[in-house]
Amino acid sequence: MARQKLTVLETLDAAKTQGYHFLAIVIAGMGFFTDAYDLFCISIVTKCLGRLYYTDLNYPKPGTLPPNVSAAVTSVALCGTLAGQLFFGWLGDRLGRKSVYGFTLILMIVCSLASGLSFGHEPKGVIATLCFFRFWLGFGVGGDYPLSATIMSEYANKRTRGSFIAAVFAMQGFGILFAAIISLIVSASFKNHFHAPSYEKDRVGSTQSQADYVWRIIVMFGSIPAALTYYWRMKMPETARYTALIARNTKKAAADMSSVLQQEIVEEVEVVESHVVGGDTWGLFSHQFVKRHGVHLLATTSTWFFLDIAFYSQNLFQKDIFSKVGWIPKAATMNAIEEVYRIARAQAIIALCGTVPGYWFTVAFIDIIGRYIIQLQGFFFMTVFMFAIAIPYHHWTTPGNHTGFVVLYALTFFFANFGPNSTTFIVPAEVFPARLRSTCHGISAACGKAGAIIGTFGFLYSSQSKTAASRDKGYPKGIGMKNSLLILAFTNLAGLVMSFWVPEAKGKSLEEMALETVEEGEEPQAPTSRV
């Protein structure tokens, strides 16, 4: 026999799209806007940091961050994000989604500002400060993943839930674009006021002292959108599913949602009993969880892991890839601030043409064609286009062929975002029980960040040339850019294979997807329908 479903949950599932849905998208989405800005702005300023603090005037090329420093600066926020996803994901199921939602934002605001400060002017002090605060910045960013996804999924109706969660995540695209635009504005302003020759003409004069302000302003600017969102985030009521199914206070859940939906909801059940949806007590490490959701957790963790290896490698090292194919001039032909400007311009073009449109295609089509198909076609085309870039890589590096490279590169981002980069965020917020939803989303997201850390560390070293003259100073011999891109293509292929185990949640309630409508003694039918 099917379990009784609470009136407040049925009302939420059937609710028409209203203003509060869009307000929730903006409130949760601005967190992701800030997340993306904070995580990806660092890739724009790393070259500048190398020039400012590690230039050797006896060397014919401008300074670059040493391998260990570059790895730390690039990856430390991702390490913090992984830890934050696990911790806040667990905490969101213990204390409530809203209870810890504001704390993550405060952490992001404070650490974003502090990242632009430093103890002294020596390289060790600057880099140590930057890495310390970027770790805790990432910790706050990590909390936003499971909390925002869970809050939006639990607020939405079942008809348009996918679009609403996708819209929250789509703000990440605007955050990446905004990081490039702010970097363009700041670097252009400084470049026009503080002229300097290129490094090959004047090794000392090419690095303007004002460049030290450029990277700090760019890094610190991420605190502004987060601060603007804090008040509204604190005004949001706790989700009805947490209040009713976990806190077991159905009257409060009904009262909160009556206020939000502006309609009276009368809940007859005062306490959630075992025969009511949400009455199970088995935990994450139980046989019952493995039986019902073990395959789902394997699918959400593995696909996110493979995706982020490729996605973060491509995103954080765009500047290196564009330099190798000649789309950004050689560093020695530019001064420090001009290099920031050129890198920001290249990333803005990719974000505008490939990244942002991909996210909003997912928003438009996810509740029409479903999560499963979007994820499969995304991984498929990412694989195809990455092979198209990698196999004839030397062709793309020759003059006259750079445009073709950029088009294919932008298409990989388009199908990443109109594909697994969106769906890997959405699906874990839909398929697990309410009392484990935030935890399981945090685990899935943390596996993704583990992939991102592996990808950024690995790509940093593997993409180095086999010849000493062509690779960055201080790096050991790598396998080259072509072979590194081939590895990313096979990684996408692995993600495609694991996507066949991803369940389809289109048009289904959260309780139906989580099998919470089934009595504990009954044999559950796993929700794997692709229709």
Side-chain angles (χ1 to χ4, degrees):
M1 137 180 158
R3 285 176 170 167
Q4 176 188 348
K5 190 169 179 182
L6 298 172
T7 304
V8 65
L9 304 187
E10 291 183 332
T11 305
L12 277 171
D13 281 340
K16 293 181 180 179
T17 301
Q18 300 175 31
Y20 88 91
H21 286 119
F22 296 106
L23 181 61
I25 288 170
V26 172
I27 294 170
M30 283 305 292
F32 265 91
F33 179 96
T34 306
D35 296 348
Y37 184 98
D38 289 334
L39 287 179
F40 293 105
C41 70
I42 197 67
S43 64
I44 298 173
V45 302
T46 49
K47 294 279 190 182
C48 183
L49 289 169
R51 284 187 184 243
L52 283 166
Y53 301 111
Y54 294 95
T55 291
D56 179 356
L57 297 178
N58 296 315
Y59 196 66
K61 295 179 182 179
T64 57
L65 295 178
N68 59 329
V69 174
S70 182
V73 168
T74 305
S75 302
V76 69
L78 298 177
C79 296
T81 302
L82 187 154
Q85 287 164 337
L86 291 173
F87 177 72
F88 286 111
W90 170 80
L91 208 60
D93 284 333
R94 297 298 173 275
L95 301 182
R97 288 64 160 124
K98 183 192 171 181
S99 300
V100 290
Y101 206 28
F103 180 73
T104 61
L105 210 58
I106 291 174
L107 198 58
M108 288 157 59
I109 294 167
V110 171
C111 293
S112 184
L113 289 171
S115 294
L117 306 175
S118 60
F119 301 126
H121 298 283
E122 295 300 312
K124 282 187 177 180
V126 173
I127 299 301
T129 307
L130 179 64
C131 288
F132 176 81
F133 286 111
R134 278 191 65 80
F135 175 85
W136 292 109
L137 172 66
F139 194 69
V141 167
D144 240 35
Y145 275 74
L147 294 173
S148 291
T150 301
I151 285 171
M152 198 64 244
S153 71
E154 294 183 345
Y155 264 106
N157 60 55
K158 66 181 182 180
R159 185 176 57 85
T160 56
R161 186 180 60 242
S163 293
F164 289 157
I165 305 173
V168 169
F169 195 63
M171 295 300 288
Q172 188 180 75
F174 285 125
I176 295 171
L177 178 61
F178 190 67
I181 290 172
I182 292 299
S183 302
L184 274 173
I185 294 170
V186 173
S187 59
S189 301
F190 276 80
K191 183 166 71 80
N192 291 335
H193 284 84
F194 304 102
H195 302 285
S198 65
Y199 183 84
E200 62 187 7
K201 291 182 179 178
D202 184 351
R203 295 183 181 183
V204 176
S206 67
T207 303
Q208 307 98 312
S209 59
Q210 295 81 8
D212 196 48
Y213 294 107
V214 171
W215 77 264
R216 294 177 191 273
I217 292 170
I218 292 170
V219 167
M220 295 170 78
F221 205 90
S223 63
I224 295 176
L228 294 174
T229 315
Y230 181 76
Y231 171 76
W232 294 104
R233 186 170 281 198
M234 290 298 91
K235 285 193 68 177
M236 292 180 74
E238 182 58 86
T239 70
R241 284 180 164 91
Y242 179 85
T243 305
L245 303 181
I246 302 176
R248 308 293 179 94
N249 190 339
T250 56
K251 279 190 173 182
K252 187 174 189 323
D256 287 344
M257 291 306 104
S258 293
S259 174
V260 167
L261 295 172
Q262 296 183 337
Q263 70 179 81
E264 187 178 0
I265 303 173
V266 179
E267 190 62 72
E268 296 178 0
V269 183
E270 292 188 13
V271 180
V272 180
E273 304 290 352
S274 60
H275 65 282
V276 175
V277 162
D280 290 327
T281 56
W282 42 264
L284 180 65
F285 300 105
S286 66
H287 171 72
Q288 191 72 271
F289 177 85
V290 173
K291 183 179 179 180
R292 294 189 177 206
H293 299 290
V295 172
H296 299 155
L297 189 59
L298 175 63
T300 59
T301 52
S302 61
T303 53
W304 208 334
F305 174 80
F306 289 125
L307 164 76
D308 274 8
I309 290 176
F311 185 77
Y312 278 83
S313 296
Q314 290 173 245
N315 240 315
L316 291 173
F317 298 106
Q318 280 185 29
K319 60 189 183 301
D320 302 299
I321 296 171
F322 288 147
S323 297
K324 294 280 173 67
V325 299
W327 206 43
I328 296 176
K330 292 183 178 179
T333 64
M334 299 179 284
N335 62 52
I337 297 178
E338 184 183 359
E339 187 173 32
V340 174
Y341 176 82
R342 296 287 190 122
I343 292 168
R345 187 177 66 176
Q347 294 197 186
I349 292 171
I350 291 296
L352 197 58
C353 298
T355 305
V356 172
Y359 282 114
W360 291 97
F361 264 69
T362 300
V363 174
F365 293 107
I366 192 164
D367 285 314
I368 299 173
I369 61 179
R371 293 84 166 132
Y372 178 72
I373 296 298
I374 287 178
Q375 182 155 322
L376 280 181
Q377 61 88 28
F379 267 127
F380 174 78
F381 284 112
M382 286 172 69
T383 304
V384 169
F385 288 122
M386 190 54 69
F387 275 125
I389 290 171
I391 293 172
Y393 178 73
H394 295 299
H395 166 76
W396 301 121
T397 60
T398 57
N401 298 321
H402 301 157
T403 303
F405 172 88
V406 172
V407 169
L408 288 174
Y409 195 68
L411 284 171
T412 63
F413 278 105
F414 175 82
F415 282 104
N417 296 312
F418 181 37
N421 193 42
S422 296
T423 54
T424 52
F425 175 79
I426 296 165
V427 173
E430 299 181 306
V431 301
F432 300 107
R435 67 187 181 284
L436 299 172
R437 185 169 292 132
S438 180
T439 301
C440 289
H441 194 286
I443 293 170
S444 301
C447 285
K449 285 301 166 286
I453 293 165
I454 291 170
T456 51
F457 271 106
F459 194 86
L460 183 65
Y461 286 88
S462 68
S463 62
Q464 297 297 321
S465 175
K466 296 177 182 179
T467 59
S470 303
R471 61 178 176 261
D472 294 333
K473 185 180 179 182
Y475 284 89
K477 182 172 72 171
I479 60 175
M481 185 66 73
K482 175 178 178 176
N483 290 329
S484 298
L485 293 174
L486 280 171
I487 290 174
L488 296 186
F490 281 109
T491 301
N492 291 331
L493 185 59
L496 173 64
V497 172
M498 293 306 299
S499 294
F500 285 103
W501 282 271
V502 170
E504 180 56 73
K506 182 180 70 170
K508 298 175 182 176
S509 72
L510 293 177
E511 289 67 42
E512 185 182 356
M513 285 303 300
L515 303 175
E516 289 184 293
T517 56
V518 179
E519 291 285 1
E520 192 161 347
E522 294 181 39
E523 188 68 26
Q525 295 296 318
T528 55
S529 170
R530 312 302 183 197
V531 231

